[in-house]
Every structure is written in C-alpha cells, then in structure tokens.
Amino acid sequence: MRIVRVAAGTDIYIARLDASGDTVVPVYAETQGPGRDGLREALAAGVIDGPAVADERPLADVRLLAPVINPQKVLAIGLNYAKHAREGGIEPPKSPVSFVKTNNSIVGPDDEIRYSKDDSTQVDYEVELAVVMGRTARRVSTADALDYVFGYTVCNDVSARDAQFGDGQWVRSKSFDTFCPLGPSIVTTDEIPDPQTLGLRCRVNGTTLQDSNTADMIFGCAEIISFLSRAMTLEPGDVIATGTPEGVGFARKPPVWLLDGDVVECEVDGIGVLRNQVVVD
Ligand code: MG
C-alpha cells in the first residue's frame, strides 16, 4: 500500500492510494492540535486498511503533506555509506552513529526549504531512505526488526554544514525549521520486502549529484532498528533516516550549497520523488 497524508480543502486525512495510484481513499480524519498526529492515531486505531471515512477523490485534487508531522521522534544515522564517510575525511564507523532531527524541521512534498543567510551560508542536501515504525519496538533482534516497520518514505536530511561542523554536535544543524522534508508517500513493507535493494538519488536543478543504492549502507535498516531499540523504545510513527550516500555538497570541489530558488529532488526507487524548492531570506 501507499499511504499519504493529504489536505482536501480545510480537512486533513490519512489516506491510502487505490491500485491505480490516482485515487485517494481517506481512512482517518486528522484532528489538528498540540501533540496530535494523524498517522500515529490511524496506526493506533488500526484503520489504515479499513473503509473510507470520506469521499474518495483524485490525487490531483488534494495537496500532499508530510506523511507524519508529529512523530514521537525522528532519529537519523550519520556516516552510513562508506564512500560518504570517506568523502568527509572520516573512516566508516564501527557501529551506527545516531542523532536526532526535531519535529519543527518536518515539511512535506513541495513545501519550501527556507533559511536565512544570517544563520547559515552552507546548507546541503542529503537523500535518505527513511523507515517509519509500525509497532512498538524494544530490544528487538536484527532478525525480527523489519517486522516492526510500517513502511518506508524519502527524507532529505538538509544540513547546515557551518553549524554542524562549528557546533561539533549535529542536532542544531540538522533541525532548522523546514530541514526535514518527508514524503511523498509511505510505501508499506509488503511492497518493499527488502529495503537494501533500492536505488536512491538527489538532483539539484535537474543535475544528479547523488546516485547510489541502499545495498551500500554499512548498517542496514534491520541492524539500525535493533541497535536503536536496545537504547530506546521505538514507537509507531517514529521516523529513522538511514543515512546518505556520497555526493553531498560540502565534499564537492568547489562545494555546492542550496541557494535561493534551487529545486531539490530526492528519489528512492519504489517510493517516489520528494521535491522541494529552496527559499533564502
Ligand atoms: Mg544524513
């Protein structure tokens, strides 16, 4: 299944796409408010594959939103592709390097990536496969880990490199408002039985700057989930961005930064294209 979160007029729904991919079937009406999250609530209610709760409508008639807007947490893995670690002058890690992206950074397909040049002049793209958890996971084994996954989406782990390298700690640089585009849909695990076989790429203004495959991850999705779940309970709706391959902007000569008007497209095979325009104030 493909699961989307959509705005239809003033209503917001969690919906699945029908077999054609062109029709939206709303399965949960989202109530907005502090701490509310339609996907988490729909997962808890078990209604994802249930009956329509509102009129079906053409995909073209709704606006796609971030598939999850208020997860309990967004975790991310750094340096998870060996060539990417080395392009940054770092030896590939022996165990997963994890950090947090805060919820204020989440935006959806076609939303703007927005920053002020007073706050960063080195904003970079990172295409990533993102895991969306479907069940509570605590100390799960690598063998069982994928059973706890709801599906997969695309994340652009936008990063302010000056803040990242200046701070020596990554949370601020990775959590600027709008620095976590997610979408366009969540593809459930029945359609992606093996997440380590997916091509992924990033284009800026149509030029391909990253082009790799999740087979090149150092730590696969199952290993990451198991590793994280030994420290912290993973909850349904939690997002785990699994790291970016080589080709990021800071490692290029000369460097490539995201500038006003740039269009960034992050693509993972079998999921889709997450497209965002950059606005610099
Ligand atoms: Mg990253």
Side-chain angles (χ1 to χ4, degrees), residues 112-124 158 162 176-179 257-264 276-281:
E112 293 168 348
I113 297 167
R114 184 178 275 271
Y115 67 92
S116 168
K117 58 184 181 309
D118 294 338
D119 301 322
S120 178
T121 56
Q122 298 183 353
V123 173
D124 204 346
V158 182
D162 35 11
F176 280 35
D177 291 345
T178 75
F179 276 21
W257 307 121
L258 295 179
L259 302 175
D260 191 47
D262 285 351
V263 174
V264 193
N276 301 91
Q277 186 157 17
V278 179
V279 177
V280 182
D281 298 316

Side-chain angles (χ1 to χ4, degrees), residues 14-236:
I14 300 298
R16 61 175 184 266
L17 299 183
D18 76 345
S20 73
D22 298 331
T23 300
V24 170
V25 182
V27 295
Y28 184 80
E30 181 172 301
T31 305
Q32 295 164 65
R36 301 297 294 264
D37 183 88
L39 181 72
R40 284 197 291 143
E41 292 170 18
L43 287 170
V47 298
I48 292 290
D49 52 6
V53 297
D55 290 344
E56 299 183 10
R57 59 201 84 204
L59 181 60
D61 288 357
V62 300
R63 188 165 73 88
L64 285 174
L65 305 174
V68 55
I69 192 65
N70 193 24
Q72 192 203 54
K73 51 193 171 292
V74 179
L75 300 165
I77 304 298
L79 309 171
N80 198 28
Y81 290 75
K83 287 179 186 169
H84 169 59
R86 293 202 173 98
E87 76 181 347
I90 297 171
E91 277 304 299
K94 299 281 190 287
S95 63
V97 175
S98 63
F99 60 95
V100 164
K101 287 175 85 76
T102 51
N103 284 357
N104 59 289
S105 61
I106 297 173
V107 291
D110 299 312
D111 284 342
E112 293 168 348
I113 297 167
R114 184 178 275 271
Y115 67 92
S116 168
K117 58 184 181 309
D118 294 338
D119 301 322
S120 178
T121 56
Q122 298 183 353
V123 173
D124 204 346
Y125 51 84
E126 293 191 350
V127 61
E128 308 199 5
L129 174 68
V131 173
V132 181
M133 299 301 294
R135 294 166 55 200
T136 300
R138 171 75 181 136
R139 296 187 63 80
V140 299
S141 68
T142 300
D144 292 341
L146 296 185
D147 294 343
Y148 292 80
V149 175
F150 175 59
Y152 301 92
T153 191
V154 183
C155 175
N156 186 352
D157 178 19
V158 182
S159 307
R161 300 300 185 194
D162 35 11
Q164 182 180 3
F165 301 138
D167 288 4
Q169 213 283 355
W170 297 0
V171 171
R172 185 174 72 99
S173 65
K174 300 279 194 174
S175 298
F176 280 35
D177 291 345
T178 75
F179 276 21
C180 188
L182 293 173
S185 64
I186 299 170
V187 179
T188 53
T189 53
D190 54 313
E191 291 191 23
I192 302 181
D194 181 358
Q196 308 307 142
T197 59
L198 307 173
L200 75 172
R201 56 202 69 82
C202 178
R203 295 180 290 272
V204 177
N205 301 329
T207 300
T208 301
L209 298 177
Q210 293 182 281
D211 189 359
S212 184
N213 192 290
T214 58
D216 286 349
M217 285 185 193
I218 300 170
F219 308 104
C221 294
E223 211 170 345
I224 291 167
I225 292 163
S226 176
F227 179 82
L228 292 172
S229 80
R230 290 181 177 275
M232 64 193 87
T233 303
L234 302 175
E235 299 288 357

